[in-house]
Amino acid sequence: MLTSGGPSSNLTAATAGEPNNASRGTDDDGTSALFSLQDLSADELLAVLLNLSVIDLSHVALTSKRLLYLTHAIQTKIVGTECSALSENAAALRVNRDARKLKTHRGGKRSGNYRPADVVRRALSRLRAPPTIAFLFHSSRGGGRTAPTGWYQESPSEVERLLPPSCAILSASGRDIQANCDGLVESESGVGVLLASFDRRTSYLPFAIASPNSDDSDEDNSNDDDGQQNLENADEIQQLLHRLEEERPPSVGSNYWKIIFVYVCGDSTLDPDVVLARVQSAHPNCTIVGGVAEAGHVRLFSGKNNGGKDNEDDDKPSSESIAATKQSLSRKSRRQLRIIISELLGQGEAGHGEAKEFLMPNLDTSKDELVDLAISMGFTESSSADPGDCHDLEHVLNGIFGVAIGGDVPVRAVVSRGARSLTTQEVAPQSSPWTVTEAAIVRPGELGHPFYLGDPDGGNVTYHVINRVKSSETGEELDGVNFVLGNQAEFVGLRRIYDDTTPQGDGFDLTMLQMPNVGTGKLMIAETGSAIGTVPIASHVGSQIDIFNLDGDACIQDVKLKLDRLKELVEGQRLLAGLMFSCNGRGPDASYLIDEEMCDARTWSERFPSVPMLGFYAGGEIGPRAIVGNRNIFQRGQAALQGFTAVFVLFIVPKMDIGSFSLDDGHDSIDAFMRERMNSARTGSS
C-alpha cells in the first residue's frame, strides 16, 4: 500500500487554465466544483503520476515541492529500469493508423520521413524516468542520407539537446538497420532509437580510440619510427584500461563493469582483436558486444574523452560559483526560471536553440524557490550556453569507440550461429561420439607453436595440439588434422568433460579453421577458456570434439532454438527490450544461404511480439564466442570479432510489485529531500 504522510507544502499544483491553484471536478449533483491537488493523498497522486510520461512529469515537478518529491520517488524508487524503443516507420504507423497495411516483414517503404529528433521525442513520451543511455541506429543508404557524416537527415545536436546532459549516447550507422517495434518488423527506416533508464548508481564510461591522426599526411613523416607509433597505439589501450580501473568505485570488486559496447569503423590504428583481448583479459567476466559499422557517434562528456585526462575538480562548482549562479538567476523572470528548470530535467522540448515554453498560470511558487530549485538541479553559469552547442558528441569515422556500463545492469547476451554437425547432421548437438584421446599444450615461445613469440597475430596465445581422436560408436581412431580436413570442415568444436565434482562444459566452443590451425601439420586450437567460464588451462584429453559447417537451415533453426530457450529462462521476469547485431550476410534480404528476409528479427517477433528489438547489420559482430548446443544460452567473457552470428543484448528485470511500497510525503520528508538536493548541488555530488 502506498502511504501518505499528509500534505507537505504550502504550494499547490494547478491545472493549466484553472485559477486559484485548483482543478475542476464534478459534485454528486452534476455541478462543477473546484478541488485542490493539495487535498489528494499520495496514493491518489501517484496513481495519476504513474500514467504520465517523463516529459509530463518534468512539467508537473515544477509546480510544487511535494510533486517534485513524488516525481523523484517514481523515477528512482518505484518505476525501476525502463526501456523505450521506436523506429522511424513505427513512429509513422502510430500517427497514421491506416498505414498499418504497410506492416510487412520488410517494411515495404519509408512511411514516415521522420527526423531522428522526432523519433527520440516520441520514444521519450513512453518513459517515466529520464533516460540514462540512448542507443541510435542510422541507415546510410538512400533517401537523402548525409553520407559524409553517417547521420540521417539532421545534425546530431538536434538529438543531443533533447536528452539529459548526463545521458550517454551511442550511435552506429550501417547500410541497413533492423527493427521490431510496435509489431512492425522492418529494415527500411532511416533511424531507430532505444532509450533506457537504469538505476542512478549505474556508471557510463564512453571512449573513442585508435583513430588515425589526420595531420600525419606529410610525406616527410611517412618513415617515422613504426615502433614508436605502435607503442603509442598500445598506450591507448592501456589508457582505456586505466580509465576503467579509475572510474570503478573503490568499494566494489573487479567485476564492476558488466557490459562494454564496442563499435569499429573505417581505418583503425589498432587491431580490434587485440583491443578485445586486452580489455577482456583485464575484465574476464564482462560482456563485450557490438559490431563493425560505417560510422557513429559517442557522447564523451566534457573532460572525459579519448585521453582520459579527467579533471573531477572542474565538475564540482565552488562556493563562489554557486553565489555567482544565484545572482545570475535572480535577475531572471519566473517564466525564464521555469524554462531553465524544465531544460535541466532533460525534457525541455528544444528546437534550433529555443525552448518551448511551458506555461503555468497563477503559479504560487516564489522566485527565490525557483532559483534554489534550479541550483539544486545542477544549473551553473556554464549551463547558460546556447543549448544548440553540443560539444560532447564525437563523430567517429575511423577508429574504435563505445560505452562501458558498470553497476547493477540488468543485461544478458545471447549468441547464435547456425552450424550443422558433420558427424551426426544435427543442429546444436548436445554431445558427440568423437573424443580427444591424445593432446598436448603449447605455450608461447615453445617449440611447435604456430607463431613466433610476440607475434601480434597469436604469438602470446596458448594452443592445444589435438593429436588423436576416437569414435565411441565405431572405435575408429584418426589423426586430428585428418579428422577435420578429410571431412572438409569449416569449424571444429570442443566440449570439455570434467570429473564427477565439476559440471560438464555446456556446448561446443567453435573455432573457424584457418591456416594456423592446420598449417603445422597438426590440429591446433587456441585456448579461450571453458564454455562455462575461464578456468586454468588443462589438457583436452577426454574432451568431446565435433566438426561443423555453416548451413542456412541450421542458422534458422539455431536462432529459433536459442530464442525458445530464452522464453523458458525469462519466465516470471520482464524482458524489457533488446539490441541485435546481425551479420550482413544474414539479411535483411534473403540470400543463397538464408532464404528468409530478416530471419533474426522475424524470429524474435514471433516469440516476443510485444518486446521491442533494434540493431543493425554489421560487417562483423562482436560478442562472446559462439557456442553450439549450449543450454545456458546467457554468455559473457571470451569476446571475439566473429562472422555470420546474431548477437542479442537483452534487458531483463524481475517483475515488480509496488502494492506494498511505503512513501512518506509529509513536511519533514520533503524538507529533508529538498535540503539533500541543495547540498548535492553545492558539493557537486550526484
Side-chain angles (χ1 to χ4, degrees), residues 39-52:
D39 298 330
L40 298 179
S41 69
D43 285 352
E44 294 166 323
L45 277 176
L46 287 171
V48 174
L49 297 178
L50 282 168
N51 288 287
L52 300 182

Side-chain angles (χ1 to χ4, degrees), residues 15-327:
T15 301
E18 294 290 353
N20 302 322
N21 304 312
S23 296
R24 187 173 297 278
T26 304
D27 283 341
D28 293 338
D29 60 3
T31 62
S32 63
L34 294 177
F35 66 90
S36 172
L37 294 182
Q38 186 75 341
D39 298 330
L40 298 179
S41 69
D43 285 352
E44 294 166 323
L45 277 176
L46 287 171
V48 174
L49 297 178
L50 282 168
N51 288 287
L52 300 182
S53 72
V54 64
I55 298 174
D56 296 328
L57 286 172
S58 69
H59 295 158
V60 168
L62 302 180
T63 62
S64 76
K65 292 179 181 178
R66 185 188 184 202
L67 288 173
L68 174 61
Y69 173 79
L70 293 176
T71 297
H72 182 267
I74 286 174
Q75 295 177 340
T76 60
K77 299 177 181 179
I78 299 177
V79 171
T81 298
E82 283 192 308
C83 292
S84 172
L86 199 60
S87 67
E88 179 189 20
N89 278 353
L93 291 180
R94 286 185 64 83
V95 174
N96 182 7
R97 296 292 181 177
D98 292 338
R100 286 287 183 181
K101 61 185 179 182
L102 296 176
K103 182 178 172 183
T104 64
H105 286 305
R106 187 64 201 278
K109 64 179 180 179
R110 284 177 48 238
S111 56
N113 199 30
Y114 276 65
R115 298 180 304 138
D118 294 329
V119 180
V120 170
R121 188 177 287 108
R122 293 181 182 280
L124 278 171
S125 69
R126 301 180 176 190
L127 287 178
R128 289 172 291 184
T132 56
I133 187 167
F135 299 95
L136 291 104
F137 302 96
H138 301 262
S139 172
S140 62
R141 63 177 179 84
R145 272 62 166 179
T146 53
T149 65
W151 195 272
Y152 170 60
Q153 283 196 341
E154 65 184 353
S155 166
S157 63
E158 298 294 327
V159 167
E160 187 181 16
R161 72 182 61 174
L162 285 174
L163 300 169
S166 60
C167 177
I169 301 175
L170 184 64
S171 83
S173 172
R175 188 178 186 278
D176 294 287
I177 72 169
Q178 52 182 336
N180 171 38
C181 299
D182 290 1
L184 178 66
V185 181
E186 50 99 12
S187 65
E188 295 294 331
S189 285
V191 63
V193 59
L194 188 148
L195 305 178
S197 178
F198 295 141
D199 188 290
R200 298 301 177 87
R201 294 165 293 184
T202 302
S203 297
Y204 303 90
L205 191 151
F207 60 90
I209 62 174
S211 177
N213 189 338
S214 60
D215 295 333
D216 289 343
S217 58
D218 190 342
E219 294 182 1
D220 293 338
N221 295 330
S222 60
N223 294 320
D224 285 349
D225 185 2
D226 291 338
Q228 179 64 28
Q229 181 65 49
N230 290 335
L231 180 60
E232 292 175 359
N233 294 340
D235 285 346
E236 281 196 280
I237 303 178
Q238 189 57 45
Q239 288 173 11
L240 175 58
L241 295 176
H242 175 73
R243 290 183 61 208
L244 289 168
E245 181 62 24
E246 194 176 52
E247 293 287 332
R248 176 176 61 85
S251 59
V252 300
S254 58
N255 294 330
Y256 176 72
W257 297 105
K258 295 300 190 297
I259 187 165
I260 303 177
F261 290 89
V262 178
Y263 294 154
V264 180
C265 62
D267 296 325
S268 171
T269 59
L270 289 169
D271 183 346
D273 291 322
V274 174
V275 175
L276 294 175
R278 289 277 303 278
V279 175
Q280 190 73 88
S281 177
H283 302 274
N285 292 313
C286 178
T287 302
I288 304 177
V289 296
V292 177
E294 294 182 5
H297 293 78
V298 58
R299 178 183 260 179
L300 293 174
F301 301 126
S302 297
K304 296 187 178 181
N305 50 25
N306 308 19
K309 299 177 181 178
D310 303 352
N311 189 344
E312 296 179 2
D313 292 336
D314 291 344
D315 296 333
K316 297 182 179 180
S318 64
S319 57
E320 293 82 1
S321 174
I322 293 287
T325 298
K326 191 165 187 176
Q327 184 178 11

Side-chain angles (χ1 to χ4, degrees), residues 430-432 434-436 493-495 497 508 542-546:
Q430 301 292 305
S431 62
S432 170
W434 290 88
T435 302
V436 177
L494 287 166
R495 174 176 176 263
I497 305 296
F508 289 87
S543 294
Q544 290 185 349
I545 187 170
D546 208 343

Side-chain angles (χ1 to χ4, degrees), residues 279-609:
V279 175
Q280 190 73 88
S281 177
H283 302 274
N285 292 313
C286 178
T287 302
I288 304 177
V289 296
V292 177
E294 294 182 5
H297 293 78
V298 58
R299 178 183 260 179
L300 293 174
F301 301 126
S302 297
K304 296 187 178 181
N305 50 25
N306 308 19
K309 299 177 181 178
D310 303 352
N311 189 344
E312 296 179 2
D313 292 336
D314 291 344
D315 296 333
K316 297 182 179 180
S318 64
S319 57
E320 293 82 1
S321 174
I322 293 287
T325 298
K326 191 165 187 176
Q327 184 178 11
S328 173
L329 289 173
S330 297
R331 292 193 292 266
K332 299 183 183 297
S333 68
R334 289 202 303 164
R335 183 178 69 83
Q336 289 173 320
L337 289 171
R338 291 196 295 273
I339 291 174
I340 287 173
I341 293 169
S342 181
E343 290 178 346
L344 287 171
L345 286 167
Q347 310 307 331
E349 295 190 56
H352 304 292
E354 74 275 4
K356 180 180 179 182
E357 181 182 358
F358 178 71
L359 299 175
M360 294 171 287
N362 302 309
L363 189 67
D364 285 344
T365 310
S366 70
K367 184 174 179 178
D368 288 342
E369 286 177 310
L370 289 173
V371 169
D372 289 342
L373 181 57
I375 294 175
S376 74
M377 301 301 293
F379 182 87
T380 63
E381 278 297 283
S382 60
S383 304
S384 59
D386 181 0
D389 294 337
C390 299
H391 302 294
D392 293 342
L393 203 60
E394 180 83 1
H395 178 215
V396 183
L397 285 171
N398 300 285
I400 300 172
F401 64 103
V403 175
I405 309 179
D408 188 15
V409 187
V411 64
R412 298 293 186 92
V414 174
V415 182
S416 174
R417 174 190 271 160
R420 187 181 301 276
S421 167
L422 296 180
T423 63
T424 66
Q425 298 304 308
E426 292 182 59
V427 176
Q430 301 292 305
S431 62
S432 170
W434 290 88
T435 302
V436 177
T437 56
E438 293 182 21
I441 297 174
V442 179
R443 292 177 170 80
E446 293 182 351
L447 185 65
H449 197 283
F451 297 95
Y452 65 83
L453 184 62
D455 188 323
D457 290 331
N460 299 316
V461 177
T462 296
Y463 276 81
H464 294 272
V465 184
I466 309 300
N467 291 315
R468 303 286 294 177
V469 299
K470 182 177 180 179
S471 171
S472 60
E473 295 178 345
T474 64
E476 181 182 10
E477 287 193 64
L478 292 173
D479 175 87
V481 169
N482 291 333
F483 175 63
V484 296
L485 295 184
N487 291 281
Q488 298 182 331
E490 296 173 347
F491 297 88
V492 61
L494 287 166
R495 174 176 176 263
R496 287 189 180 274
I497 305 296
Y498 297 98
D499 57 36
D500 294 337
T501 63
T502 308
Q504 295 182 347
D506 185 17
F508 289 87
D509 191 353
L510 292 184
T511 296
M512 179 180 289
L513 291 170
Q514 297 175 321
M515 183 56 67
N517 303 116
V518 296
T520 64
K522 296 180 179 295
L523 178 59
M524 308 192 74
I525 307 298
E527 166 62 28
T528 60
S530 165
I532 61 171
T534 302
V535 297
I537 297 176
S539 170
H540 265 297
V541 171
S543 294
Q544 290 185 349
I545 187 170
D546 208 343
I547 46 179
F548 301 85
N549 278 352
L550 283 178
D551 181 305
D553 289 339
C555 289
I556 297 173
Q557 290 184 49
D558 189 74
V559 74
K560 289 180 178 179
L561 289 171
K562 290 284 172 68
L563 296 185
D564 285 340
R565 178 61 176 156
L566 174 63
K567 201 164 187 177
E568 296 175 8
L569 294 177
V570 299
E571 184 71 28
Q573 302 181 78
R574 288 193 301 154
L575 178 54
L576 300 177
L579 300 172
M580 179 166 45
F581 308 104
S582 296
C583 176
N584 54 23
R586 299 174 69 103
D589 299 311
S591 67
Y592 73 94
L593 194 60
I594 298 180
D595 60 1
E596 294 185 12
E597 293 183 349
M598 299 191 70
C599 166
D600 302 327
R602 186 166 58 82
T603 303
W604 174 270
S605 179
E606 291 169 354
R607 281 140 182 86
F608 304 99

